[in-house]
Structures are given as C-alpha cells and as structure tokens.
Amino acid sequence: MQAVKIVVTGPFNAGKTQFIRAVSEIDVVSTESKITDPAERIKDETTVAMDFGRITIEDDLVLYLFGTPGQRRFDFMWEILSEGMLGFIVMVDSARPETFREARYILQVFRSYAPTPYVVAANKQDLSEAWSPEDLRIALKVDPEVKVIPCVATDKEQVKNVLLELLYTILEQLELEETELAEEETER
Amino acid sequence: MALRGNLRDFSTTQLLNLIHLARKTGCLTVRTPSEAARLYFRDGKLIHAHTASHDGHLATMLVKAGKLTAEQAQKILTRPEGRNDVQLGMLLIKAGHVSREDIIHSVRHYMLDIVYTLFGWYDGEFEFTPEALPSADRILVPINLEQVILEGSRRLQEHERLQDELPDLDHTALRFTNGADARLRTVNLTVEEWRVISFVSPRNTIRVIAQANNMDDFQVRKIVYGLMQAGIVELVRSSGPPAGAGAPGKPGAEQPPAIKRSLIERLINRIKRI
C-alpha cells in the first residue's frame, strides 16, 4: 500500500479542519482543544497538533490530508508534517485581513522546507467582506505563476476544485522537469 | 468584492501597493478616531486627496502653497465660482494671480502631504469603494504611486514594523523583480539605495549587504523595504553557503519523494469522483 500526503496549512481559523472534513472518507481525526486565550475566542476549539483525513484512491494507494495547527506556538509540528508531502495548500480567511501577515509568514516557512508545488485557497468567499483572490494575491505577495483559488471550505465541490488545482500544478511541474531532462539528454 | 480592514493589519504602504499593482479605480477612505482621509485613484494612480480637516478645495491648496493669503481664500470661497476648482483655476490664471504650473504644483503637493501623512497612521479602519471618483469640478493631477510608495517608505520611521516585515537578515537575500529595469528608470533613488542595489544577488544575504555598505539593521531594512514596495526587488532565500546550525531554511531538508505522473493522474481521477 502506497500512501501519499498533501498538507493543508494556514493561519488560525482559516478553515483547514473544515476543508479536510469536506472530502475525507473518515471522520477527521482532529486533535482539537478548547480555546482558553480570550484573543483567540473566535471559535470554541482549535487544532493543536494536526487534523488527519483520508481518501482511498485505489486498493494500493491512499491519499492522506494533514491539517497543521494554526497557532504559531505549535509551529514545531509544521516541519514534521511537511516531510515527504506531494504539495501543500495555504488556506487564507479572505475576510480577515488581520491574518494575512501570518499567512505570508506560513507560506514563506513552508516554501523554505522543500521546493514543493502549492496553491493558495482564498477561503470564505461567501462572506460579503471577503477580499477577492486577485487582491489577496497582491496582499500575500504570491508569485503570478502560483494559483490563488476562490473557495468555501464547507462546499465539497469547491474543496475538490482546490485539490484538483494543486494536483494539476504538480503535473505541470513534472512535465516541466521531464522536458528539461529530455533537453539535457539531447544536448549530451 | 470588499476591500476593507484596519491599518494595523494591512499598512498604508501595502494598500497603495495593492491599488497600484491592481490598477484600481475608486476611493480609499481611512478613518481614525481623530481624522479621516479620502484618496481617489484612477487606473492605479492617485488623482485627488482630502481630509476631514482639509477640505481639498483649490483655494485651500493655494493658501498652503503660499500662492494666496488666507483672507483671499476666504473671500473666494464665499463666491459661487470659488467652490468650483476648475472655474476658479481659470479665473486666477486669467487674472494673472497664478500660472497653470503653480496650480498643478500646489495640487500635487497638497495631495502628497496627505498621502505621506497616511504613512504615519498605524491604526484606522479603511475601505476602498470601487469606481468612486471626485466631483467633476475638482482639478485632478495623476501621480504615479511607485514614487509615492518609495518616498512614503523613506519616511516610515517605525523600526518595529520594519523588523516585522524583514525579520531575518541572515538567511534572506534579494533579487530583481520582473520589470525592475523599467521601474528603475522611473524612480529617483538615493545614493544609499543605489549602493544596496549594486549588491543585489541571491548569494548575498541582506546582512552581507548591510555590512558591505556599513549600514545598521534599521538602515538596511528601511532601504530594502522601500525597494520591495516599489516593486524593484523581492526576497529570496539566500543561495550562498549553507547557514549555521538551526537555520530555518534547513539545508538538509528532506526532498519530496520522486513521484510519477501516473500516480498524480490516479489521484485526479479519484478526486473528481468523490
């Protein structure tokens, strides 16, 4: 049985747990705890170690979705979770600009781990105060070639779309590497 | 789509940069408990600005520029044509009180004073209203935001904020952005900024650039931040010799496993069917 993984990261309350829940075939194994810090009482519980979802691809292949804890005091988990990932998704709460700086920081940290493909999911696009994906791209200083995908993490179809866009990005990168390899061999 | 928030989270520099890059047209309103400002943009260029305490009428601008006295302005503003900047401008030029250049210069300085003041606001609700433009009787002077951002950043004195934007000088380097050459032709750089630019390379960390130019952390942060906001350079991880133990870049970071196209295609097919 081969297992591959995709990591879903982003600031506190960006919607990572919800995202994984939308497509996981098992109840998400969520290591959540009650929030005690009044500043973080936007929701009742938060992920402290990781969320864990699964999609069986075929008998011999399974995809795991790992959600990272959103609070920086648990960032020691990020590097552990990122090892060997196919790619990662940065979830951003489009309606909370106060979290954009944190999202930029997380993006930079994950990019520093390994040159892995990634996409940005502009979550909560159903809220009236949500920033558009185009504005988010500029706010987060996301490179033009990186996809910023509008998303509502409670909507399964939109979550599937984000996952598919990441996988297409991985395919594109593989094709690029294959082309470069072929060119090198031709030169030899 | 809303473009709303607080300067605590998204600074004036970042806002102007967004408006510039997205070539937005509309009105940016910023409110603090003691002051409010309205800035108008067309295609990403600043075209007009006023605050709650400075009404933005031409007469007021000319007083500020020393072209009219406060008494003259008061008299003008009581007359109907005094409230119409375009009409007033033509009258004053015809009467030989001011030249066309005087007016453009005064309007430009008035707007820049307001926008530079905004760089010093760190807390205030902002909202961008797309397509909102000033009334037709106002004199609009388009100002390129690149230069404004660069100058505003020069004035940005808050050390902590700079530190927040550029926390790691030891493992971060700089590279030129796409189109940096064109931007370099349109902005005026100081000698210090040119000195930093001459060291831009993925192999030189910002710390190395600072040491080579005899600059302290604050000076180099200030210059690099300004160059970033003007879209001339961007941050990259240093490609120089591996940094010491505990570096966040983790030179020994595990590379992703070799993956095959067929595996990704299987994942795609399955997810489509969920």
Side-chain angles (χ1 to χ4, degrees), chain B residues 7-207:
Chain B
L7 294 178
R8 280 194 308 266
D9 313 310
F10 205 70
S11 68
T12 300
T13 313
Q14 290 171 312
L15 264 177
L16 295 181
N17 199 37
L18 192 153
I19 290 166
H20 162 63
L21 291 174
R23 299 171 62 86
K24 285 186 179 293
T25 296
C27 174
L28 174 69
T29 308
V30 187
R31 285 189 191 87
T32 71
S34 55
E35 183 60 295
R38 277 217 168 118
L39 277 67
Y40 293 90
F41 302 88
R42 184 185 282 146
D43 295 331
K45 285 187 175 162
L46 178 67
I47 54 167
H48 196 73
H50 63 88
T51 62
S53 52
H54 295 89
D55 57 16
H57 281 292
L58 180 61
T60 315
M61 294 178 185
L62 291 171
V63 170
K64 209 167 175 203
K67 303 289 175 191
L68 290 180
T69 64
E71 293 74 34
Q72 285 172 321
Q74 247 177 355
K75 274 185 196 164
I76 287 169
L77 287 171
T78 56
R79 296 167 62 176
E81 64 271 30
R83 290 269 155 197
N84 183 320
D85 286 358
V86 177
Q87 280 184 16
L88 175 63
M90 283 161 69
L91 276 175
L92 290 173
I93 291 170
K94 271 187 191 164
H97 287 298
V98 292
S99 66
R100 187 176 172 274
E101 286 67 37
D102 285 337
I103 291 178
I104 292 174
H105 190 260
S106 305
V107 174
R108 188 181 161 84
H109 268 257
Y110 185 88
M111 286 157 61
L112 287 175
D113 273 353
I114 290 175
V115 75
Y116 290 143
T117 307
L118 241 65
F119 280 89
W121 295 6
Y122 300 117
D123 196 343
E125 298 291 333
F126 66 79
E127 181 169 4
F128 187 84
T129 312
E131 306 306 326
L133 288 170
S135 58
D137 60 348
R138 294 301 172 104
I139 294 173
L140 309 182
V141 177
I143 298 178
N144 196 330
L145 283 182
E146 276 176 3
Q147 189 65 42
V148 171
I149 292 166
L150 199 62
E151 179 59 26
S153 298
R154 277 186 196 137
R155 296 175 185 213
L156 195 64
Q157 293 294 313
E158 198 191 36
H159 190 265
E160 282 178 9
R161 184 164 286 240
L162 287 173
Q163 202 161 11
D164 200 21
E165 292 289 337
L166 293 166
D168 182 6
L169 304 185
D170 293 304
H171 305 95
T172 314
L174 301 173
R175 73 173 174 210
F176 289 112
T177 57
N178 293 336
D181 331 1
R183 288 190 185 106
L184 280 170
R185 278 194 285 273
T186 58
V187 296
N188 298 322
L189 298 177
T190 63
V191 174
E192 283 74 21
E193 283 162 346
W194 278 115
R195 283 167 62 194
V196 167
I197 279 182
S198 66
F199 282 89
V200 169
S201 157
R203 299 195 73 80
N204 292 335
T205 63
I206 299 176
R207 173 82 63 210

Side-chain angles (χ1 to χ4, degrees), chain A residues 2 56-58 60 79 86 98 101 104 112-113 125 128 130-131 135 139 156 160 168 175 178, chain B residues 1-4 9-10 14 24 164-165 237 249-250 253 259 261 263 266-267 270-272 274:
Chain A
Q2 185 179 2
T56 305
I57 306 299
E58 282 167 25
D60 61 339
E79 194 167 352
L86 281 180
E98 63 269 31
R101 190 174 294 150
R104 266 170 54 195
S112 74
Y113 290 148
Q125 287 290 312
S128 61
W131 288 37
D135 289 343
K156 188 167 145 186
K160 277 169 59 180
Y168 294 142
E175 281 165 11
E178 283 168 9
Chain B
M1 282 289 181
L3 195 60
R4 214 178 283 149
D9 313 310
F10 205 70
Q14 290 171 312
K24 285 186 179 293
D164 200 21
E165 292 289 337
R237 293 206 67 74
K250 200 169 101 58
I259 46 172
R261 178 201 290 263
L263 183 145
R266 286 165 73 191
L267 293 174
R270 173 70 183 96
I271 287 171
K272 279 181 179 170
I274 292 175

